Amino acid sequence: MKGWTEATVLSTEYLGDNLYYLTLEADIKPFVPGQSIRLGMTSANTIHSRRYGIASAPSEGELKFYVECIPDGYVSPWLCGREVGDRIWMTRQAEGSMILEPIPDNIRVLWLMAEDVGVAPFLSMLKSRELWDRFEKVVLVHEARSPSYLVKQQIIMSHADKTPDRFAYVPIVSKQPHPYALCGRTPQLIRDQLIEMVADETLEPDRQFALLCGPDDALNRSIAELLHLGFRRHYPVSPGHILSLHY
């Protein structure tokens, strides 16, 4: 089918709470960190698909995705049931404008704010040399509904160990206390300045930029808090401080 290719499942991993980690192999066009791609299945000669953020770096070769299995969904239960060697339809061209290229050159601190599987494109960015060449400090704020969604801690902590003065990680578990994470929702934690305390960085628009990825309602509330602090949405004709990807 035009614009699509078949990906092969290399591995699957169940992380708990209906969350799966899929590693696929496919011949697609080059992508940049922060972009997403559609994964799908066929039914009655039609491809049914959902968009997923790519968690791997372009240099890795393999394509990695976090897939939340929605019990009453159509595509995600099928994806989560795949086994090694199975085939999955994938678009050849990644898409998305929540990438590093549009961010103004004078930005000093980059905030990456995600909820649940919205962290995937940020994991790709963290592996990018461009990220570390361009910004003095990177702060990853990840709100998860449960500890299972605080994904791939070894990837994240490797950056904290290598560049402790340039990288801050703020894990949040929204629905239960956790010994190594804040408890609550991102908008309230911004308001209470707890995220700033953990990150050891003040949220202010001067030479700072925020990328956000997650569900509509959650992102809109976080964006509202940033707007209250003086941040502005970024547009090509009107530079600001906020780009977001809603799903």
Side-chain angles (χ1 to χ4, degrees):
M1 296 186 184
K2 188 176 180 180
W4 294 82
T5 187
E6 283 191 295
T8 302
V9 178
L10 299 180
S11 67
T12 66
E13 181 182 356
Y14 180 60
L15 302 176
D17 291 333
N18 291 327
L19 181 63
Y20 291 77
Y21 185 58
L22 303 185
T23 302
L24 311 179
E25 182 180 51
D27 181 18
I28 65 170
K29 296 179 180 180
F31 70 94
V32 297
Q35 291 190 307
S36 58
I37 212 159
R38 287 192 169 275
L39 304 180
M41 55 178 282
T42 55
S43 176
N45 295 320
T46 300
I47 297 179
H48 302 272
S49 67
R50 284 183 60 88
R51 185 170 64 167
Y52 291 93
I54 304 172
S56 48
S59 59
E60 289 184 74
E62 300 172 343
L63 298 161
K64 301 177 181 181
F65 302 90
Y66 294 96
V67 178
E68 179 186 0
C69 182
I70 309 298
D72 58 351
Y74 190 60
V75 175
S76 65
W78 184 87
L79 290 174
C80 295
R82 298 309 89 199
E83 298 179 349
V84 173
D86 285 349
R87 310 281 276 180
I88 294 174
W89 285 105
M90 176 186 292
T91 46
R92 290 185 180 274
Q93 180 68 64
E95 58 185 357
S97 58
M98 193 195 66
I99 57 178
L100 299 177
E101 190 273 334
I103 300 176
D105 291 333
N106 68 332
I107 297 300
R108 182 182 67 85
V109 179
L110 178 64
W111 293 82
L112 307 175
M113 297 186 172
E115 181 168 342
D116 291 335
V117 295
V119 75
F122 296 150
L123 295 180
S124 180
M125 287 183 182
L126 287 175
K127 302 171 187 175
S128 163
R129 180 174 178 177
E130 180 186 359
L131 182 87
W132 302 104
D133 286 346
R134 288 190 57 186
F135 307 107
E136 294 179 20
K137 186 170 182 178
V138 178
V139 182
L140 174 61
V141 180
H142 183 201
E143 179 186 326
R145 70 187 69 179
S146 71
S148 298
Y149 282 73
L150 292 176
V151 296
K152 298 298 176 184
Q153 296 290 293
Q154 67 273 24
I155 296 174
I156 297 170
M157 296 313 298
S158 68
H159 297 290
D161 293 339
K162 292 177 185 176
T163 55
D165 56 332
R166 298 186 59 203
F167 178 68
Y169 174 46
V170 185
I172 303 167
V173 177
S174 61
K175 295 186 177 180
Q176 64 189 83
H178 188 278
Y180 305 111
L182 295 175
C183 183
R185 304 304 302 268
T186 300
Q188 184 63 50
L189 294 171
I190 291 175
R191 197 176 309 128
D192 294 340
Q193 300 181 321
L194 291 176
I195 289 175
E196 294 173 292
M197 182 181 69
V198 175
D200 193 25
E201 188 70 46
T202 301
L203 265 168
E204 56 186 8
D206 182 35
R207 298 186 64 195
Q208 295 194 14
F209 202 94
L211 299 177
L212 298 93
C213 185
D216 276 339
D217 289 346
L219 256 61
N220 288 336
R221 291 193 296 271
S222 293
I223 290 172
E225 293 299 327
L226 293 177
L227 294 174
H228 180 73
L229 293 174
F231 286 71
R232 301 190 314 275
R233 293 181 184 271
H234 179 81
Y235 300 101
V237 296
S238 179
H241 320 88
I242 301 170
L243 279 176
S244 58
L245 174 62
H246 301 241
Y247 65 82

